[in-house]
Amino acid sequence: MDLRRIGPVNVAFYVERGRNRHLAACTAPRCDFSAEYDSRAAAELAARIHRCPA
C-alpha cells in the first residue's frame, strides 16, 4: 500500500481484484469522510478540497 498525507486526509493506493483503487480518508476525530476513486488524481483532489466539519 502506498500512503500520502494531505492535511488531515490520508490518500492510499492499493490493488483489489486486479484493479488499482485509491482511497481518501480523513483522520480527524469524529469526521466520517472517506471515499474510493479510480484515479489517484481524483483522490488527491478530494483530499485537497475536503473541509473537515469536526
Side-chain angles (χ1 to χ4, degrees):
M1 181 186 305
D2 180 25
L3 184 68
R4 182 171 181 195
R5 187 170 183 95
I6 300 174
V9 180
N10 285 336
V11 176
F13 162 79
Y14 63 97
V15 178
E16 178 183 52
R17 296 181 188 156
R19 293 183 54 202
N20 295 338
R21 301 298 297 159
H22 302 273
L23 175 72
C26 185
T27 59
R30 296 181 307 277
C31 182
D32 294 330
F33 169 75
S34 67
E36 288 187 17
Y37 298 94
D38 290 329
S39 72
R40 181 156 192 121
E44 289 183 1
L45 177 62
R48 285 190 192 97
I49 64 172
H50 173 65
R51 298 294 175 247
C52 189

Short mmCIF file of all heavy atoms in Angstrom, two decimals:
data_model
loop_
_atom_site.label_atom_id
_atom_site.label_comp_id
_atom_site.label_asym_id
_atom_site.label_seq_id
_atom_site.Cartn_x
_atom_site.Cartn_y
_atom_site.Cartn_z
N MET A 1 0.85 -1.18 0.00
CA MET A 1 0.00 0.00 0.00
C MET A 1 0.89 1.24 0.00
O MET A 1 1.87 1.30 0.71
CB MET A 1 -0.91 0.00 1.22
CG MET A 1 -1.84 1.20 1.23
SD MET A 1 -2.86 1.44 2.69
CE MET A 1 -3.70 -0.07 2.84
N ASP A 2 0.54 2.19 -0.83
CA ASP A 2 1.23 3.46 -0.92
C ASP A 2 0.37 4.51 -0.22
O ASP A 2 -0.82 4.62 -0.51
CB ASP A 2 1.43 3.82 -2.39
CG ASP A 2 2.15 5.13 -2.59
OD1 ASP A 2 2.90 5.55 -1.69
OD2 ASP A 2 1.97 5.74 -3.66
N LEU A 3 0.95 5.27 0.72
CA LEU A 3 0.18 6.22 1.52
C LEU A 3 0.77 7.61 1.42
O LEU A 3 1.98 7.78 1.48
CB LEU A 3 0.16 5.76 2.98
CG LEU A 3 -0.68 6.55 3.96
CD1 LEU A 3 -2.15 6.36 3.64
CD2 LEU A 3 -0.39 6.08 5.36
N ARG A 4 -0.10 8.61 1.27
CA ARG A 4 0.31 10.02 1.23
C ARG A 4 -0.65 10.82 2.09
O ARG A 4 -1.85 10.56 2.08
CB ARG A 4 0.29 10.52 -0.20
CG ARG A 4 0.74 11.95 -0.32
CD ARG A 4 0.90 12.35 -1.75
NE ARG A 4 1.37 13.71 -1.79
CZ ARG A 4 1.35 14.46 -2.85
NH1 ARG A 4 0.90 13.98 -3.98
NH2 ARG A 4 1.78 15.69 -2.81
N ARG A 5 -0.15 11.79 2.82
CA ARG A 5 -0.98 12.60 3.70
C ARG A 5 -1.10 14.01 3.13
O ARG A 5 -0.11 14.65 2.81
CB ARG A 5 -0.37 12.64 5.09
CG ARG A 5 -1.23 13.31 6.10
CD ARG A 5 -0.66 13.08 7.50
NE ARG A 5 -1.53 13.65 8.48
CZ ARG A 5 -2.46 13.00 9.13
NH1 ARG A 5 -2.62 11.72 8.90
NH2 ARG A 5 -3.23 13.59 10.00
N ILE A 6 -2.35 14.49 3.02
CA ILE A 6 -2.63 15.85 2.57
C ILE A 6 -3.52 16.47 3.64
O ILE A 6 -4.71 16.15 3.72
CB ILE A 6 -3.32 15.87 1.20
CG1 ILE A 6 -2.43 15.21 0.15
CG2 ILE A 6 -3.69 17.29 0.80
CD1 ILE A 6 -3.07 15.04 -1.21
N GLY A 7 -2.95 17.30 4.49
CA GLY A 7 -3.69 17.85 5.63
C GLY A 7 -4.10 16.71 6.54
O GLY A 7 -3.30 15.81 6.82
N PRO A 8 -5.34 16.68 7.00
CA PRO A 8 -5.79 15.57 7.86
C PRO A 8 -6.23 14.35 7.07
O PRO A 8 -6.65 13.36 7.65
CB PRO A 8 -6.97 16.18 8.61
CG PRO A 8 -7.56 17.14 7.64
CD PRO A 8 -6.36 17.73 6.91
N VAL A 9 -6.12 14.39 5.75
CA VAL A 9 -6.62 13.31 4.91
C VAL A 9 -5.47 12.43 4.41
O VAL A 9 -4.48 12.94 3.89
CB VAL A 9 -7.42 13.86 3.70
CG1 VAL A 9 -7.94 12.73 2.82
CG2 VAL A 9 -8.56 14.75 4.18
N ASN A 10 -5.63 11.13 4.58
CA ASN A 10 -4.69 10.16 4.02
C ASN A 10 -5.21 9.70 2.67
O ASN A 10 -6.40 9.41 2.52
CB ASN A 10 -4.55 8.94 4.93
CG ASN A 10 -3.72 9.22 6.15
OD1 ASN A 10 -2.90 10.12 6.15
ND2 ASN A 10 -3.94 8.45 7.19
N VAL A 11 -4.31 9.63 1.69
CA VAL A 11 -4.65 9.10 0.37
C VAL A 11 -3.82 7.84 0.19
O VAL A 11 -2.60 7.86 0.29
CB VAL A 11 -4.33 10.13 -0.75
CG1 VAL A 11 -4.59 9.52 -2.12
CG2 VAL A 11 -5.14 11.40 -0.56
N ALA A 12 -4.51 6.73 -0.05
CA ALA A 12 -3.84 5.44 -0.17
C ALA A 12 -4.12 4.82 -1.53
O ALA A 12 -5.18 5.02 -2.12
CB ALA A 12 -4.32 4.50 0.93
N PHE A 13 -3.16 4.02 -2.00
CA PHE A 13 -3.28 3.28 -3.24
C PHE A 13 -3.17 1.81 -2.89
O PHE A 13 -2.32 1.40 -2.10
CB PHE A 13 -2.15 3.67 -4.19
CG PHE A 13 -1.92 2.69 -5.30
CD1 PHE A 13 -2.74 2.69 -6.40
CD2 PHE A 13 -0.89 1.77 -5.24
CE1 PHE A 13 -2.54 1.78 -7.43
CE2 PHE A 13 -0.69 0.85 -6.25
CZ PHE A 13 -1.52 0.87 -7.35
N TYR A 14 -4.05 0.99 -3.47
CA TYR A 14 -3.97 -0.45 -3.26
C TYR A 14 -4.57 -1.16 -4.47
O TYR A 14 -5.23 -0.55 -5.30
CB TYR A 14 -4.67 -0.87 -1.96
CG TYR A 14 -6.15 -0.58 -1.93
CD1 TYR A 14 -7.07 -1.57 -2.24
CD2 TYR A 14 -6.63 0.68 -1.60
CE1 TYR A 14 -8.43 -1.32 -2.22
CE2 TYR A 14 -7.98 0.94 -1.58
CZ TYR A 14 -8.88 -0.06 -1.88
OH TYR A 14 -10.23 0.21 -1.86
N VAL A 15 -4.33 -2.44 -4.55
CA VAL A 15 -4.86 -3.26 -5.65
C VAL A 15 -5.92 -4.19 -5.07
O VAL A 15 -5.68 -4.89 -4.09
CB VAL A 15 -3.74 -4.08 -6.32
CG1 VAL A 15 -4.31 -4.96 -7.42
CG2 VAL A 15 -2.67 -3.16 -6.87
N GLU A 16 -7.11 -4.17 -5.69
CA GLU A 16 -8.20 -5.03 -5.26
C GLU A 16 -8.73 -5.77 -6.48
O GLU A 16 -9.17 -5.15 -7.45
CB GLU A 16 -9.31 -4.19 -4.64
CG GLU A 16 -10.51 -5.01 -4.20
CD GLU A 16 -11.62 -4.14 -3.64
OE1 GLU A 16 -12.02 -3.18 -4.33
OE2 GLU A 16 -12.06 -4.43 -2.53
N ARG A 17 -8.67 -7.09 -6.42
CA ARG A 17 -9.13 -7.94 -7.53
C ARG A 17 -8.52 -7.53 -8.85
O ARG A 17 -9.20 -7.44 -9.88
CB ARG A 17 -10.65 -7.92 -7.61
CG ARG A 17 -11.31 -8.49 -6.40
CD ARG A 17 -12.80 -8.47 -6.54
NE ARG A 17 -13.40 -8.87 -5.28
CZ ARG A 17 -14.61 -8.53 -4.91
NH1 ARG A 17 -15.36 -7.80 -5.69
NH2 ARG A 17 -15.07 -8.93 -3.76
N GLY A 18 -7.25 -7.21 -8.84
CA GLY A 18 -6.54 -6.85 -10.05
C GLY A 18 -6.75 -5.43 -10.53
O GLY A 18 -6.26 -5.05 -11.58
N ARG A 19 -7.52 -4.63 -9.79
CA ARG A 19 -7.78 -3.24 -10.18
C ARG A 19 -7.10 -2.29 -9.21
O ARG A 19 -7.10 -2.52 -8.00
CB ARG A 19 -9.29 -2.96 -10.14
CG ARG A 19 -10.06 -3.72 -11.19
CD ARG A 19 -11.52 -3.38 -11.19
NE ARG A 19 -11.71 -1.94 -11.30
CZ ARG A 19 -12.80 -1.29 -10.92
NH1 ARG A 19 -13.80 -1.96 -10.39
NH2 ARG A 19 -12.91 0.01 -11.07
N ASN A 20 -6.55 -1.22 -9.75
CA ASN A 20 -5.96 -0.19 -8.91
C ASN A 20 -7.07 0.64 -8.28
O ASN A 20 -7.99 1.08 -8.96
CB ASN A 20 -5.05 0.73 -9.73
CG ASN A 20 -3.86 0.01 -10.27
OD1 ASN A 20 -3.46 -1.02 -9.75
ND2 ASN A 20 -3.28 0.53 -11.33
N ARG A 21 -7.00 0.84 -6.98
CA ARG A 21 -8.00 1.62 -6.25
C ARG A 21 -7.28 2.70 -5.44
O ARG A 21 -6.13 2.52 -5.03
CB ARG A 21 -8.81 0.74 -5.30
CG ARG A 21 -9.55 -0.39 -5.97
CD ARG A 21 -10.58 0.06 -6.96
NE ARG A 21 -11.61 0.83 -6.27
CZ ARG A 21 -12.44 1.68 -6.84
NH1 ARG A 21 -12.37 1.87 -8.13
NH2 ARG A 21 -13.32 2.33 -6.17
N HIS A 22 -7.95 3.80 -5.22
CA HIS A 22 -7.40 4.92 -4.46
C HIS A 22 -8.43 5.33 -3.42
O HIS A 22 -9.63 5.41 -3.72
CB HIS A 22 -7.09 6.09 -5.39
CG HIS A 22 -6.14 5.69 -6.47
ND1 HIS A 22 -4.78 5.71 -6.32
CD2 HIS A 22 -6.37 5.21 -7.72
CE1 HIS A 22 -4.21 5.29 -7.43
NE2 HIS A 22 -5.16 4.97 -8.29
N LEU A 23 -7.97 5.57 -2.22
CA LEU A 23 -8.86 5.87 -1.11
C LEU A 23 -8.41 7.16 -0.45
O LEU A 23 -7.23 7.37 -0.20
CB LEU A 23 -8.80 4.73 -0.08
CG LEU A 23 -9.57 4.92 1.21
CD1 LEU A 23 -11.06 4.81 0.92
CD2 LEU A 23 -9.15 3.89 2.23
N ALA A 24 -9.37 8.04 -0.17
CA ALA A 24 -9.12 9.26 0.59
C ALA A 24 -9.94 9.15 1.87
O ALA A 24 -11.15 8.89 1.82
CB ALA A 24 -9.55 10.50 -0.19
N ALA A 25 -9.29 9.31 3.03
CA ALA A 25 -9.98 9.18 4.31
C ALA A 25 -9.42 10.20 5.30
O ALA A 25 -8.22 10.32 5.46
CB ALA A 25 -9.81 7.78 4.86
N CYS A 26 -10.33 10.92 5.94
CA CYS A 26 -9.94 11.92 6.93
C CYS A 26 -9.61 11.23 8.25
O CYS A 26 -10.34 10.34 8.69
CB CYS A 26 -11.06 12.95 7.13
SG CYS A 26 -10.57 14.31 8.21
N THR A 27 -8.54 11.65 8.90
CA THR A 27 -8.10 11.04 10.14
C THR A 27 -8.50 11.86 11.36
O THR A 27 -8.16 11.49 12.48
CB THR A 27 -6.57 10.86 10.15
OG1 THR A 27 -5.96 12.14 9.99
CG2 THR A 27 -6.13 9.93 9.03
N ALA A 28 -9.21 12.95 11.17
CA ALA A 28 -9.63 13.78 12.30
C ALA A 28 -10.70 13.06 13.12
O ALA A 28 -11.53 12.35 12.56
CB ALA A 28 -10.18 15.11 11.81
N PRO A 29 -10.67 13.24 14.43
CA PRO A 29 -11.70 12.60 15.27
C PRO A 29 -13.10 13.08 14.89
O PRO A 29 -13.31 14.25 14.58
CB PRO A 29 -11.35 13.07 16.69
CG PRO A 29 -9.94 13.57 16.62
CD PRO A 29 -9.72 14.02 15.21
N ARG A 30 -14.04 12.18 14.89
CA ARG A 30 -15.45 12.44 14.61
C ARG A 30 -15.73 12.90 13.17
O ARG A 30 -16.80 13.43 12.90
CB ARG A 30 -16.03 13.44 15.61
CG ARG A 30 -16.02 12.92 17.03
CD ARG A 30 -16.60 13.90 18.02
NE ARG A 30 -16.03 15.23 17.98
CZ ARG A 30 -14.91 15.61 18.59
NH1 ARG A 30 -14.23 14.74 19.29
NH2 ARG A 30 -14.48 16.84 18.52
N CYS A 31 -14.81 12.74 12.28
CA CYS A 31 -15.05 13.05 10.86
C CYS A 31 -15.19 11.72 10.13
O CYS A 31 -14.31 10.87 10.20
CB CYS A 31 -13.91 13.86 10.25
SG CYS A 31 -14.23 14.28 8.52
N ASP A 32 -16.28 11.53 9.44
CA ASP A 32 -16.56 10.26 8.78
C ASP A 32 -16.26 10.27 7.28
O ASP A 32 -16.75 9.42 6.55
CB ASP A 32 -18.03 9.88 8.99
CG ASP A 32 -18.33 9.58 10.45
OD1 ASP A 32 -17.42 9.12 11.16
OD2 ASP A 32 -19.48 9.81 10.87
N PHE A 33 -15.47 11.23 6.81
CA PHE A 33 -15.20 11.31 5.38
C PHE A 33 -14.26 10.20 4.93
O PHE A 33 -13.16 10.03 5.47
CB PHE A 33 -14.57 12.66 5.02
CG PHE A 33 -14.05 12.71 3.61
CD1 PHE A 33 -14.92 12.81 2.54
CD2 PHE A 33 -12.70 12.62 3.36
CE1 PHE A 33 -14.44 12.84 1.24
CE2 PHE A 33 -12.21 12.64 2.07
CZ PHE A 33 -13.09 12.75 1.00
N SER A 34 -14.69 9.44 3.94
CA SER A 34 -13.83 8.50 3.23
C SER A 34 -14.53 8.17 1.91
O SER A 34 -15.75 8.12 1.83
CB SER A 34 -13.59 7.23 4.03
OG SER A 34 -14.76 6.49 4.17
N ALA A 35 -13.72 7.97 0.88
CA ALA A 35 -14.27 7.65 -0.44
C ALA A 35 -13.22 6.95 -1.28
O ALA A 35 -12.03 7.19 -1.13
CB ALA A 35 -14.73 8.92 -1.14
N GLU A 36 -13.69 6.06 -2.17
CA GLU A 36 -12.81 5.35 -3.10
C GLU A 36 -12.91 5.98 -4.48
O GLU A 36 -13.99 6.42 -4.89
CB GLU A 36 -13.19 3.88 -3.19
CG GLU A 36 -12.84 3.09 -1.98
CD GLU A 36 -13.08 1.61 -2.18
OE1 GLU A 36 -13.20 1.16 -3.34
OE2 GLU A 36 -13.14 0.91 -1.17
N TYR A 37 -11.79 5.99 -5.18
CA TYR A 37 -11.72 6.59 -6.51
C TYR A 37 -10.96 5.68 -7.46
O TYR A 37 -10.16 4.85 -7.03
CB TYR A 37 -11.03 7.96 -6.45
CG TYR A 37 -11.77 8.95 -5.57
CD1 TYR A 37 -11.43 9.09 -4.24
CD2 TYR A 37 -12.80 9.71 -6.08
CE1 TYR A 37 -12.11 9.98 -3.42
CE2 TYR A 37 -13.48 10.60 -5.28
CZ TYR A 37 -13.13 10.73 -3.95
OH TYR A 37 -13.82 11.60 -3.15
N ASP A 38 -11.19 5.87 -8.75
CA ASP A 38 -10.49 5.10 -9.77
C ASP A 38 -9.11 5.68 -10.09
O ASP A 38 -8.27 4.98 -10.63
CB ASP A 38 -11.31 5.02 -11.06
CG ASP A 38 -12.55 4.16 -10.89
OD1 ASP A 38 -12.51 3.21 -10.08
OD2 ASP A 38 -13.54 4.44 -11.56
N SER A 39 -8.88 6.96 -9.79
CA SER A 39 -7.59 7.56 -10.11
C SER A 39 -7.01 8.27 -8.88
O SER A 39 -7.74 8.74 -8.01
CB SER A 39 -7.73 8.58 -11.24
OG SER A 39 -8.41 9.73 -10.79
N ARG A 40 -5.70 8.32 -8.84
CA ARG A 40 -5.03 8.99 -7.73
C ARG A 40 -5.31 10.49 -7.77
O ARG A 40 -5.46 11.12 -6.73
CB ARG A 40 -3.52 8.74 -7.79
CG ARG A 40 -2.80 9.40 -6.65
CD ARG A 40 -1.49 8.73 -6.36
NE ARG A 40 -0.99 9.21 -5.11
CZ ARG A 40 -0.73 8.42 -4.09
NH1 ARG A 40 -0.93 7.14 -4.19
NH2 ARG A 40 -0.26 8.92 -2.98
N ALA A 41 -5.39 11.07 -8.95
CA ALA A 41 -5.67 12.50 -9.08
C ALA A 41 -7.01 12.85 -8.44
O ALA A 41 -7.13 13.86 -7.75
CB ALA A 41 -5.66 12.91 -10.55
N ALA A 42 -8.01 12.02 -8.65
CA ALA A 42 -9.33 12.27 -8.06
C ALA A 42 -9.28 12.17 -6.54
O ALA A 42 -9.87 13.00 -5.83
CB ALA A 42 -10.36 11.29 -8.61
N ALA A 43 -8.57 11.19 -6.01
CA ALA A 43 -8.44 11.04 -4.56
C ALA A 43 -7.69 12.21 -3.95
O ALA A 43 -8.06 12.73 -2.89
CB ALA A 43 -7.75 9.73 -4.23
N GLU A 44 -6.62 12.67 -4.60
CA GLU A 44 -5.86 13.80 -4.09
C GLU A 44 -6.66 15.09 -4.17
O GLU A 44 -6.58 15.94 -3.28
CB GLU A 44 -4.54 13.93 -4.83
CG GLU A 44 -3.57 12.82 -4.45
CD GLU A 44 -2.22 12.97 -5.12
OE1 GLU A 44 -2.01 13.94 -5.88
OE2 GLU A 44 -1.37 12.09 -4.88
N LEU A 45 -7.46 15.26 -5.21
CA LEU A 45 -8.32 16.43 -5.31
C LEU A 45 -9.34 16.43 -4.18
O LEU A 45 -9.57 17.46 -3.54
CB LEU A 45 -9.03 16.46 -6.66
CG LEU A 45 -10.02 17.61 -6.86
CD1 LEU A 45 -9.29 18.95 -6.78
CD2 LEU A 45 -10.74 17.47 -8.17
N ALA A 46 -9.94 15.29 -3.91
CA ALA A 46 -10.90 15.19 -2.81
C ALA A 46 -10.23 15.53 -1.47
O ALA A 46 -10.82 16.20 -0.63
CB ALA A 46 -11.49 13.79 -2.76
N ALA A 47 -8.98 15.10 -1.30
CA ALA A 47 -8.25 15.40 -0.07
C ALA A 47 -7.97 16.89 0.05
O ALA A 47 -8.09 17.47 1.14
CB ALA A 47 -6.94 14.62 -0.03
N ARG A 48 -7.64 17.53 -1.06
CA ARG A 48 -7.32 18.97 -1.01
C ARG A 48 -8.55 19.84 -0.75
O ARG A 48 -8.45 20.88 -0.11
CB ARG A 48 -6.67 19.38 -2.33
CG ARG A 48 -5.25 18.94 -2.44
CD ARG A 48 -4.56 19.57 -3.65
NE ARG A 48 -3.30 18.91 -3.87
CZ ARG A 48 -3.11 17.92 -4.75
NH1 ARG A 48 -4.10 17.50 -5.51
NH2 ARG A 48 -1.92 17.37 -4.88
N ILE A 49 -9.71 19.42 -1.26
CA ILE A 49 -10.89 20.28 -1.10
C ILE A 49 -11.74 19.87 0.11
O ILE A 49 -12.72 20.56 0.41
CB ILE A 49 -11.76 20.29 -2.37
CG1 ILE A 49 -12.33 18.92 -2.67
CG2 ILE A 49 -10.97 20.83 -3.56
CD1 ILE A 49 -13.34 18.91 -3.80
N HIS A 50 -11.37 18.81 0.81
CA HIS A 50 -12.13 18.37 1.98
C HIS A 50 -12.07 19.43 3.08
O HIS A 50 -10.99 19.90 3.45
CB HIS A 50 -11.59 17.05 2.51
CG HIS A 50 -12.20 16.63 3.81
ND1 HIS A 50 -13.52 16.30 3.92
CD2 HIS A 50 -11.67 16.51 5.03
CE1 HIS A 50 -13.77 15.97 5.18
NE2 HIS A 50 -12.66 16.08 5.88
N ARG A 51 -13.22 19.82 3.58
CA ARG A 51 -13.31 20.74 4.71
C ARG A 51 -13.89 19.96 5.86
O ARG A 51 -15.08 19.64 5.88
CB ARG A 51 -14.20 21.95 4.38
CG ARG A 51 -13.69 22.78 3.23
CD ARG A 51 -12.37 23.45 3.61
NE ARG A 51 -11.80 24.15 2.46
CZ ARG A 51 -10.68 23.81 1.85
NH1 ARG A 51 -10.01 22.76 2.25
NH2 ARG A 51 -10.23 24.52 0.85
N CYS A 52 -13.06 19.65 6.81
CA CYS A 52 -13.43 18.78 7.92
C CYS A 52 -14.41 19.50 8.86
O CYS A 52 -14.08 20.56 9.39
CB CYS A 52 -12.18 18.37 8.66
SG CYS A 52 -12.50 17.10 9.87
N PRO A 53 -15.60 18.93 9.07
CA PRO A 53 -16.58 19.56 9.96
C PRO A 53 -16.27 19.30 11.44
O PRO A 53 -16.87 19.95 12.30
CB PRO A 53 -17.90 18.89 9.57
CG PRO A 53 -17.50 17.55 9.08
CD PRO A 53 -16.15 17.76 8.41
N ALA A 54 -15.37 18.39 11.72
CA ALA A 54 -15.07 18.05 13.13
C ALA A 54 -14.20 19.10 13.80
O ALA A 54 -13.51 19.85 13.24
CB ALA A 54 -14.38 16.69 13.19
#
